[in-house]
Amino acid sequence: MDRCNLVENIRKNKIEFVYKKPSQLQQPAISIILLDWNCRESYHALEYLNQQTVARERYEIIWIEYYSNQPDKLKKLVCDHSRCNDHPVIDQWIVLNMPDRMYYHKHFMYNVGIIASNGEIIVIMDSDAFVASSFIESIIDFFADNPKEVLHL
């Protein structure tokens, strides 16, 4: 699917930005894309990703929901974190509002995340992963030494 067709699909499906952090002056080194399709009950990955050894402004977190799910637990996490911290728990929360009868397409979600991302490096990962506090730092270090490589963990 080319970018024009994707943008048209986005318009038809009434994609919603539930939350979008105001743009920052510095381009993030990494954009992390996390996918959900009305299946998450735990948001521990967001806690791990917000406790990294790298300054939070060096990376952004994009949460993509395929259907129309906007769980109260995630809303509370976003609100509470925004009130208590300099940086939100996620930088963008995009809800695709696809029909419930439609089977989710992760590649469509990847494309939306890639279009929405601002980072030099794009990381697509499971939204229920556990990561070490050096996760982001290790990716930045890898690409500093191997700028033309692809990294699969």
Side-chain angles (χ1 to χ4, degrees):
M1 176 180 297
D2 66 40
R3 187 179 176 112
C4 292
N5 287 338
L6 181 60
V7 170
E8 184 59 30
N9 282 349
I10 288 170
R11 285 190 193 118
K12 286 180 187 174
N13 292 312
K14 300 179 183 169
I15 289 185
E16 182 179 354
F17 283 82
V18 176
Y19 178 82
K20 186 168 183 170
K21 178 183 121 180
S23 58
Q24 56 191 46
L25 298 175
Q26 177 185 352
Q27 179 186 15
I30 296 181
S31 293
I32 300 169
I33 300 169
L34 301 169
L35 307 180
D36 192 10
W37 51 94
N38 197 17
C39 65
R40 296 290 164 237
E41 294 177 9
S42 174
Y43 302 96
H44 58 267
L46 295 175
E47 295 298 330
Y48 287 108
L49 289 169
N50 278 280
Q51 297 172 3
Q52 295 292 303
T53 56
V54 172
R56 185 61 175 80
E57 51 274 338
R58 301 238 11 237
Y59 61 98
E60 67 177 348
I61 300 172
I62 303 169
W63 187 274
I64 311 273
E65 163 59 43
Y66 190 72
Y67 298 109
S68 59
N69 191 34
Q70 296 181 30
D72 290 337
K73 195 172 183 180
L74 184 55
K75 284 181 183 177
K76 182 173 178 6
L77 189 61
V78 170
C79 275
D80 290 351
H81 207 275
S82 295
R83 271 188 237 128
C84 301
N85 298 289
D86 292 338
H87 298 282
V89 70
I90 54 179
D91 298 278
Q92 295 183 60
W93 180 1
I94 303 169
V95 176
L96 302 181
N97 287 311
M98 299 302 283
D100 290 340
R101 69 186 180 284
M102 184 177 287
Y103 187 75
Y104 84 95
H105 296 277
K106 66 182 177 183
H107 297 95
F108 176 66
M109 298 165 74
Y110 293 164
N111 289 337
V112 170
I114 290 167
I115 288 171
S117 66
N118 297 300
E120 296 175 44
I121 301 165
I122 295 175
V123 175
I124 299 171
M125 61 181 277
D126 288 342
S127 56
D128 61 354
F130 292 86
V131 296
S133 60
S134 59
F135 177 69
I136 301 294
E137 182 178 8
S138 65
I139 294 170
I140 291 171
D141 291 348
F142 175 84
F143 283 105
D145 295 337
N146 308 282
K148 296 188 187 265
E149 295 292 326
V150 172
L151 179 61
H152 182 266
L153 302 171

